[in-house]
Amino acid sequence: MSKFRSLRALTLAGVALLIAHGGAMAQTVTLNLWSELSAPPESTVLNKAVEMFNAANPGIVVKHTSFENTAYETALRTAFAGGTPPDIAEVNAGSNAFQYAQSGQLMDLTDFVKPIEEKLRPGLETMYQYDGKSYGVLWGLKVGNVLYYNPVMLKEQGIDPASLATWEGFMAASQKFLDAGITPIAFGDRDQWTGNHYFNHILHGILTKDEYDHIGLQTLDPSITSALKWSDPKAVHAWEVYKAVADAGYFTPGYLSDDNDTAAGLFFAGRAPFYSTGSWGVGMAKANGAQNVALTLFPPVADSPEPTAIVTNSLLFTIPTTTSDADAAKKFLEFLTSEPVQKLYVEENFDLSPYQYDSSGWTMDPMLRQIAGLLDNAQNASPFLDMIEDVKCMQENVNEANVAVLTGDLSPQEAGDMHQECVTDLRAERGW
């Protein structure tokens, strides 16, 4: 009997152990993370962050699935429409994310984000806030309004780089190159987004931050209205300045048919002294092996109210309302904003952080550190216009209109009138 009792006790203990083990297994949470970060270095950095999180949180397993950009947009929309989105989704901050927030498919993270906001750079709220609520955390930060120049070519023409701090100085330098037989500005507008950026930066330099944010957000956020109209002289002037650059002959030949890579190639090869793109141009310069590259802030127009203001963009990590474990997903989002992860991102991705950590000891490319200085000293920051304006008005009235203005098919005033008509109709359709 004693042997029987001992065997029975051992059996019961084994069963208890199995039950306990099974319970522990049941407590492991698996989260599916989707992103469009499929190419190095961005994919490498995110995968490293996922590994770091999983190692530090044995009860949670995050599985990252990456897609190519275009395929990702389709896959994500299909998943949301079918009610089967991932537990955590990366989206472009601003309008791309807000389309899901509008339909109630993203979790309201307002209370969760509040303590994170304390370490966030000021002026970035419009990237993740919609109708007064927060819908995610930012991942990386790109500065858009950067002007790259060839210092050797400037020296040969006797041009002081400091003169590029103003629009007038930039235009005077461009004319000097043109007079010397060198077309000054490498530009390719075939895909339209580059012209969008030129118009964006000129407009941003003309308007105050409130004017700029409101004129864009009025098509996304019912709580926001804009006293300034696209058809008003102040907004139309941005189109006039943009067209004047082309009319003066400052853009490289073929700018309407060339893409951005072609334009960048002309600049990096020393065939044009100026090229405007965002902070990602630092990585492009390294990839091209370019030697004679320097940078400054895209010059503001005369009498700019905020001449050191920055244009930015970022990605947003969000949590769909259908997530399997909201607390675990929030824990991952918070981890992405931590200093070790942001340091990894900056050092390996040729990019900046939206969070105000002391980066003085981080390994950064000198040009990227210079851009970080522009960001640190900026009067304010606003997102790209295409992040804060509904695509229904953005696509036709900025992307497509920018080409029509350059070709003369639209006058600056006509472009402004059409844009305002779209905004007025859109708000009326939605009962705003």
Side-chain angles (χ1 to χ4, degrees), residues 107-125:
M107 188 170 292
D108 178 1
L109 300 175
T110 305
D111 292 338
F112 164 72
V113 169
K114 279 181 180 178
I116 295 175
E117 287 177 319
E118 295 178 3
K119 58 186 178 185
L120 192 68
R121 293 179 184 274
L124 305 181
E125 297 82 5

Side-chain angles (χ1 to χ4, degrees), residues 287-350:
N288 281 271
Q291 299 297 317
N292 299 315
V293 179
L295 63 86
T296 187
L297 194 66
F298 188 90
V301 297
D303 301 321
S304 174
E306 294 157 352
T308 65
I310 292 288
V311 175
T312 60
N313 80 343
S314 182
L315 298 178
L316 193 70
F317 279 84
T318 65
I319 303 177
T321 54
T322 54
T323 186
S324 59
D325 192 312
D327 289 337
K330 288 178 183 178
K331 196 169 187 177
F332 179 73
L333 261 59
E334 185 175 14
F335 179 75
L336 291 181
T337 72
S338 67
E339 185 170 0
V341 175
Q342 290 300 307
K343 180 176 182 289
L344 170 71
Y345 182 87
V346 169
E347 291 188 337
E348 297 194 14
N349 200 52
F350 281 113

Side-chain angles (χ1 to χ4, degrees), residues 254-314:
Y255 64 87
L256 290 175
S257 57
D258 288 346
D259 61 13
N260 182 59
D261 287 343
T262 301
L266 293 172
F267 171 71
F268 292 132
R271 295 172 59 187
F274 300 122
Y275 168 64
S276 178
T277 195
S279 53
W280 53 90
V282 174
M284 293 171 64
K286 298 300 179 186
N288 281 271
Q291 299 297 317
N292 299 315
V293 179
L295 63 86
T296 187
L297 194 66
F298 188 90
V301 297
D303 301 321
S304 174
E306 294 157 352
T308 65
I310 292 288
V311 175
T312 60
N313 80 343
S314 182

Side-chain angles (χ1 to χ4, degrees), residues 135-410:
Y135 288 95
V137 299
L138 299 179
W139 169 255
L141 186 67
K142 293 173 171 54
V143 172
N145 50 332
V146 180
L147 178 66
Y148 294 84
Y149 64 90
N150 186 314
V152 173
M153 295 180 73
L154 262 65
K155 185 176 181 180
E156 290 172 349
Q157 297 300 322
I159 297 171
D160 183 357
S163 68
L164 304 178
T166 67
W167 186 259
E168 292 73 23
F170 178 36
M171 292 297 97
S174 296
Q175 185 62 50
K176 192 164 187 177
F177 275 107
L178 196 63
D179 291 343
I182 302 170
T183 308
I185 304 174
F187 181 52
D189 198 25
R190 188 180 74 186
D191 298 323
Q192 302 178 348
W193 67 265
T194 45
N196 172 327
H197 285 193
Y198 253 91
F199 170 72
N200 192 124
H201 303 334
I202 294 169
L203 177 75
H204 189 259
I206 291 172
L207 307 184
T208 66
K209 175 176 171 57
D210 284 346
E211 289 173 333
Y212 176 89
D213 289 349
H214 286 190
I215 203 170
L217 285 167
Q218 65 180 329
T219 60
L220 283 179
D221 194 330
S223 68
I224 293 177
T225 57
S226 174
L228 179 70
K229 297 181 178 180
W230 286 109
S231 53
D232 289 345
K234 199 172 184 180
V236 170
H237 184 50
W239 285 123
E240 294 170 342
V241 172
Y242 173 60
K243 188 176 189 314
V245 180
D247 290 348
Y250 296 157
F251 290 144
T252 45
Y255 64 87
L256 290 175
S257 57
D258 288 346
D259 61 13
N260 182 59
D261 287 343
T262 301
L266 293 172
F267 171 71
F268 292 132
R271 295 172 59 187
F274 300 122
Y275 168 64
S276 178
T277 195
S279 53
W280 53 90
V282 174
M284 293 171 64
K286 298 300 179 186
N288 281 271
Q291 299 297 317
N292 299 315
V293 179
L295 63 86
T296 187
L297 194 66
F298 188 90
V301 297
D303 301 321
S304 174
E306 294 157 352
T308 65
I310 292 288
V311 175
T312 60
N313 80 343
S314 182
L315 298 178
L316 193 70
F317 279 84
T318 65
I319 303 177
T321 54
T322 54
T323 186
S324 59
D325 192 312
D327 289 337
K330 288 178 183 178
K331 196 169 187 177
F332 179 73
L333 261 59
E334 185 175 14
F335 179 75
L336 291 181
T337 72
S338 67
E339 185 170 0
V341 175
Q342 290 300 307
K343 180 176 182 289
L344 170 71
Y345 182 87
V346 169
E347 291 188 337
E348 297 194 14
N349 200 52
F350 281 113
D351 219 335
L352 302 172
S353 171
Y355 304 99
Q356 299 183 96
Y357 292 115
D358 179 8
S359 63
S360 58
W362 298 3
T363 302
M364 293 175 67
D365 179 272
M367 286 200 296
L368 188 62
R369 193 170 287 283
Q370 184 182 351
I371 294 176
L374 296 176
L375 183 61
D376 290 338
N377 295 315
Q379 290 165 284
N380 58 64
S382 291
F384 276 100
L385 189 61
D386 57 15
M387 297 175 66
I388 58 174
E389 181 169 34
D390 194 292
V391 69
K392 292 181 180 178
C393 290
M394 165 59 60
Q395 177 59 34
E396 182 177 358
N397 297 287
V398 179
N399 286 353
E400 296 173 15
N402 103 76
V403 176
V405 167
L406 292 178
T407 60
D409 291 337
L410 280 179

